[in-house]
Structure formats: structure tokens, C-alpha cells
Amino acid sequence: MQRTVLKFGGTSVADLDRIAHVADIVAWRAKRGENLAVIVSAMAGETNKLVGFARGAAGETLTGPSFDDEYDVVVSSGEQVTSGLLALALRKRGLKARSWLGWQLAMKTSPAHGKARIMGFEDSGLQNAVDGGEIAVIAGFQGVTDEGRVSTLGRGGSDTSAVAVAAALGAESCDIYTDVDGVYTTDPRIVPQARRLEKISYEEMLEMASLGAKVLQTRSVEMAMNHQVRVRVLSSFAEPGETNQGTYVCSEDEIVEKQVVNGVTYSRDEAKVTLFGVEDKPGVSARIFSMLAEAGVNVDMIVQANARGPERANMVFTCTSSDSNRAEELLLGHKDEIGFESLSVARDVAKVSVIGVGMKSHTGVAGTMFDALYKRGINIDVISTSEIKISVLIDAAYTELAVRALHTAFGLDAA
């Protein structure tokens, strides 16, 4: 019998009625002859509530190691509750089921509380349990350190848990049940003509996840690609047995007809930081970006151009809007050490991207993109490219117009 991993997110297990519906889906899958491991998130809104509890108990001054380990104990309890409730709902339906927590699963992680990385599994008996017909209901988002302390994988970490379990079990597939019925060419709320994709490559999904698409967590896609785990995104709101094809995230080799562009994404959580009059000499860039990395500021686009003054340059980079205050304070605090004249931060910007593996073998993508934006009067501020994507930074007010224009320009609108 095949092993299959199912994962249900917070909206799918939001209350007892939704958990009962999930139990019906799992029961239907089990009756089809699948050996199942089911990963669950906390109920919708529960993690935010637990984060508030942890911060309220600790106060604002307790931070770092004195806070992080107990923070993980608190916030991981949401998944513990859900796993127990779903196990009970499955037993009510006459199925053999039990809950598994991160420490019982022996999912070993790094000690970086709140953002731990999965290091591997110890022999916990999970595989024998699943092969024996027991439905393993696993609390996602959590693991255990070598010191025996509970750890969490960061927000959205249940997706990563699911892929890791699928890799460890050698599962035939990892089905991510969520509140959408697959991966779309863009956000259907902005473009009603957006199409559900039958298949998308790991590389494309990784770019889409990192550039604003919120269907899958970036680390889960990266892990799926590294371990060649076949992932499917499908709706948990469909009835058991109802046609629910979803979207397969798979190897590029499985996709026969590769589109030049498969998706358009956007991110409004962007800020543009400009350093004017930076000293144009070796080592300055390294100093700036090492400093930002140590402060936990995630930098994306970077552009440097000659300034008007001699041996000076202007440097532009983007980061999340939430990181921009930290970046500004840090750079201004080291202004003399770095050697720049002035600094500005723009937060009314957005990043719009086109993604497609077909870019590897087709020319003219940039021309089509820039022409479509030009015809709508949208000015491009910063440009960033990779082998399968082009991203531009624009005025945030034009985000939706840009997404619609690019979706049409690359022939992605549904007929």
C-alpha cells in the first residue's frame, strides 16, 4: 500500500465543524487503501493569540535566549490541540488514529528557537505505525533540539513539516490541503481571468513563493525540490470524493509544454533604501551587507551606479517594509564608518514579478514586460533578474494595474 502525506492548514481546521470535514476527507482517503500521515496546523488565529500570550507574560524587555525557548513551548501548543482533536474525530469514525508531537516524532532541529531548521529524524516508530494502518496525526511546525527542548520552524512551518515527513517516509505524494484549489497564474482577486495551473516546476514555485505568492512556504518548496517530493496543492473545502485536481509541484521534466511565463506575482511589503555618495572602493559593499545580514535584514534587489562626485556611487537595495526601520537605524548609526553622504527610504513601493522556466530558452521576455508597463504609464524604479524571473520595483499605487497588464501581455488570461 502506498504511503501518502496530507497536510491541513489553519483555515482547514478552524473549528470543530472544519475538523469534522477534514476527518471525512482523511477517512475517504484511508478507505481508498492509502497509508496516511496527516500534518495539521493550529486552528486559524490560534498562533497569533498564543504569541500575544507569550509576549504579555514576558513583557517587552525579556528578549533573546531568555524568551525564545519558552516562546516555542507556548506557540507550539496550538498544533498539539489540533492533532489531538483530529485524532479523536477519526476514532469517532471507527479509524485507528493517534496524535504525534514533534518530540514523539523525533524531528530533530537546530537550536534556533522560532526559526529552527530540520536536521533529520530518529527512529520513532512512525513508519511502522503508518505501514500498520494507523493514521498518524502529526502536529506540524515543531520539532525537538538535541537538548530535548521544543522548537518551532517559523510561521508557515507546517508545510515544511509535511514535506520533511513525506521525504522521511518515502511517500508517493504530499498533498497540501488549503483554502484554494491550486496554484494560479496570479491572484484571482486581482485578475478574475487567472487560471489554475495543472503542474508547476519546483523552480517556478520557489520563485513564486519567495516573490509574494502565499500558497506554499518557501522552505517547504526548497525541501521538496532537494528531496524530489511530489507536492500537490488542493482545496480542503471540496467534499470527499468530489473532483479536486489541484496543482502538482514537480520536476521540470514532468512538464511537457513549458510556458514562457507561468505566473505573475506581487509583494507590497517592500521598501527601497538608497545610499547617496557611498565611497566607491573595494570592501564598502561587503561592510554594508554583512552588517545588514548580522542584524537579520533580508536584502533583495541591489543596484549600484556612479554618482556625480568623484569616487562616489549611489547604492539602492530593497528589503521588507518591516525590516526597513532597522536597516535605516543601523546604517545611520554607522554613517561615518561606512562613508556615505545621505540616506533615503521609500516605503510606498511594490515588487511585481513574472516567472517561467520557458525564459531559459526564449528571448524577448523583458521587452514584452517593459512594453506592457510603459503602455500603462508605469515607471520602473529597480530591475532584478534570474534565469526564470524578472522583477521590477514600481510605485505601490500601480500594483494591481501592473499585475493585470502583465497577465494579459503574456497570454495568461483564461479564455
Side-chain angles (χ1 to χ4, degrees):
M1 294 173 70
Q2 72 179 47
R3 298 180 197 132
T4 308
V5 171
L6 313 179
K7 183 265 176 177
F8 293 90
T11 54
S12 302
V13 292
D15 52 38
L16 289 178
D17 287 339
R18 294 302 309 156
I19 290 173
H21 180 72
V22 166
D24 289 338
I25 293 173
V26 174
W28 177 73
R29 296 286 297 255
K31 288 175 183 176
R32 294 173 62 201
E34 298 176 70
N35 286 337
L36 299 171
V38 183
I39 284 76
V40 290
S41 299
M43 298 163 114
E46 188 67 18
T47 301
N48 287 339
K49 183 172 75 173
L50 293 169
V51 169
F53 284 162
R55 182 45 66 193
E60 294 300 324
T61 58
L62 192 62
T63 59
S66 298
F67 173 76
D68 295 342
D69 58 343
E70 298 300 344
Y71 166 89
D72 277 359
V73 172
V74 174
V75 298
S76 63
S77 65
E79 283 72 16
Q80 175 174 335
V81 170
T82 311
S83 62
L85 292 175
L86 181 56
L88 290 171
L90 291 170
R91 289 179 181 180
K92 179 181 177 181
R93 287 157 176 76
L95 297 166
K96 184 181 177 183
R98 65 155 280 197
S99 61
W100 292 72
L101 306 185
W103 64 269
Q104 295 169 319
L105 194 65
M107 180 185 285
K108 286 306 193 68
T109 74
S110 67
H113 289 283
K115 51 184 177 181
R117 300 190 71 84
I118 297 171
M119 310 304 290
F121 289 84
E122 292 183 355
D123 183 11
S124 60
L126 175 67
Q127 183 169 310
N128 290 338
V130 170
D131 288 346
E134 175 183 288
I135 299 174
V137 185
I138 299 168
F141 174 62
Q142 61 186 252
V144 61
T145 68
D146 284 337
E147 291 74 33
R149 297 290 288 166
V150 172
S151 56
T152 63
L153 308 179
R155 299 306 288 266
S158 291
D159 285 351
T160 305
S161 296
V163 174
V165 170
L169 291 176
E172 185 167 307
S173 68
C174 178
D175 288 354
I176 308 289
Y177 282 88
T178 183
D179 55 359
V180 295
D181 63 347
V183 179
Y184 278 71
T185 49
T186 196
D187 188 342
R189 294 171 298 180
I190 291 179
V191 183
Q193 300 84 6
R195 295 184 287 107
R196 179 182 58 81
L197 299 166
E198 291 185 11
K199 293 181 179 179
I200 186 170
S201 72
Y202 295 120
E203 292 87 349
E204 288 171 318
M205 192 67 245
L206 189 59
E207 290 282 13
M208 289 178 74
S210 66
L211 293 169
K214 295 178 173 60
V215 180
L216 291 173
Q217 190 210 37
T218 305
R219 280 168 58 192
S220 69
V221 182
E222 181 182 344
M223 182 173 289
M225 182 168 63
N226 290 341
H227 294 278
Q228 291 296 291
V229 174
R230 209 160 184 262
V231 174
R232 182 168 58 151
V233 178
L234 64 171
S235 174
S236 65
F237 288 81
E239 294 299 320
E242 183 181 334
T243 300
N244 192 12
Q245 295 174 324
T247 299
Y248 279 102
V249 183
C250 55
S251 168
E252 183 182 336
D253 297 337
E254 289 190 45
I255 303 173
V256 178
E257 189 69 26
K258 299 177 178 64
Q259 298 294 319
V260 178
V261 168
N262 244 342
V264 180
T265 65
Y266 66 95
S267 171
R268 290 191 174 98
D269 182 24
E270 302 290 330
K272 182 184 74 168
V273 180
T274 305
L275 294 172
F276 296 98
V278 181
E279 289 186 272
D280 191 8
K281 65 180 183 180
V284 174
S285 296
R287 191 181 313 143
I288 292 170
F289 293 108
S290 294
M291 193 179 295
L292 292 168
E294 289 172 6
V297 176
N298 188 22
V299 173
D300 185 17
M301 301 172 162
I302 303 173
V303 176
Q304 181 173 316
N306 290 334
R308 293 180 179 178
E311 299 182 350
R312 292 280 172 176
N314 293 334
M315 182 177 292
V316 177
F317 67 86
T318 63
C319 62
T320 63
S321 183
S322 55
D323 280 346
S324 62
N325 286 332
R326 194 183 330 159
E328 183 177 13
E329 291 174 8
L330 181 69
L331 293 171
L332 288 174
H334 293 81
K335 181 178 179 181
D336 293 337
E337 177 189 340
I338 296 170
F340 63 90
E341 295 170 358
S342 61
L343 177 150
S344 72
V345 179
R347 297 180 177 87
D348 54 347
V349 294
K351 179 170 59 181
V352 178
S353 310
V354 296
I355 299 117
V357 291
M359 290 188 196
K360 295 179 181 179
S361 55
H362 288 76
T363 59
V365 177
T368 300
M369 182 179 191
F370 300 157
D371 185 60
L373 296 175
Y374 158 71
K375 287 177 179 176
R376 301 305 191 283
I378 301 171
N379 187 51
I380 298 170
D381 202 353
V382 182
I383 302 168
S384 174
T385 66
S386 76
E387 193 176 27
I388 64 168
K389 66 95 176 172
I390 302 174
S391 297
V392 295
L393 200 70
I394 62 172
D395 189 312
Y398 295 100
T399 305
E400 296 188 6
L401 177 61
V403 170
R404 288 193 290 267
L406 294 172
H407 199 267
T408 299
F410 287 102
L412 297 175
D413 292 350

